[in-house]
Amino acid sequence: GIVAGIATIAVRAASGNSLAVRLLEGATLLLAAVAYLCYVLAHHSQFREVVTRLILVTAFVLWAVVQLAPTFSGAALLNDLTILLFVADLAILLSPAR
């Protein structure tokens, strides 16, 4: 994931906003989602813990879709949903009732 992120920055610096950049951005986000999903499944067994952590996984996947297909007619809605999921995840993380 980190290597893909560094490659994305290097490609963007060299070629600007290209298809290669979008593919690298999407790949980086999908790698982060898969890695976190594997971590969650390996380290959390309670249903509530898994579900709340899937919010973050879903946000990364939706963000990847927006990066890979920015001209998709629903991209703006997916972007808004991604933001909502990140905010919800933060609210759950900061919630005193755990």
Side-chain angles (χ1 to χ4, degrees), residues 68 79 82 88:
L68 292 170
N79 194 47
T82 301

Side-chain angles (χ1 to χ4, degrees), residues 16 42-43 55 83 87:
H43 296 282
I55 292 170
I83 292 167
V87 171

Side-chain angles (χ1 to χ4, degrees), residues 2 8 10 37-38 47 81-82 85 89:
I2 292 172
T8 302
L37 177 62
C38 292
F47 181 75
L81 183 55
T82 301
L85 290 173
D89 185 63

Side-chain angles (χ1 to χ4, degrees), residues 17-90:
N17 192 14
S18 67
L19 175 61
V21 171
R22 284 201 321 269
L23 291 174
L24 285 167
E25 288 170 343
T28 301
L29 292 164
L30 288 174
L31 285 170
V34 170
Y36 189 56
L37 177 62
C38 292
Y39 173 83
V40 167
L41 295 176
H43 296 282
H44 299 283
S45 59
Q46 292 184 343
F47 181 75
R48 182 179 185 278
E49 288 178 339
V50 172
V51 169
T52 57
R53 282 158 177 86
L54 287 179
I55 292 170
L56 187 57
V57 171
T58 304
F60 274 105
V61 170
L62 291 177
W63 191 6
V65 170
V66 171
Q67 294 303 109
L68 292 170
T71 59
F72 166 62
S73 63
L77 178 61
L78 289 181
N79 194 47
D80 292 343
L81 183 55
T82 301
I83 292 167
L84 175 64
L85 290 173
F86 279 124
V87 171
D89 185 63
L90 185 60

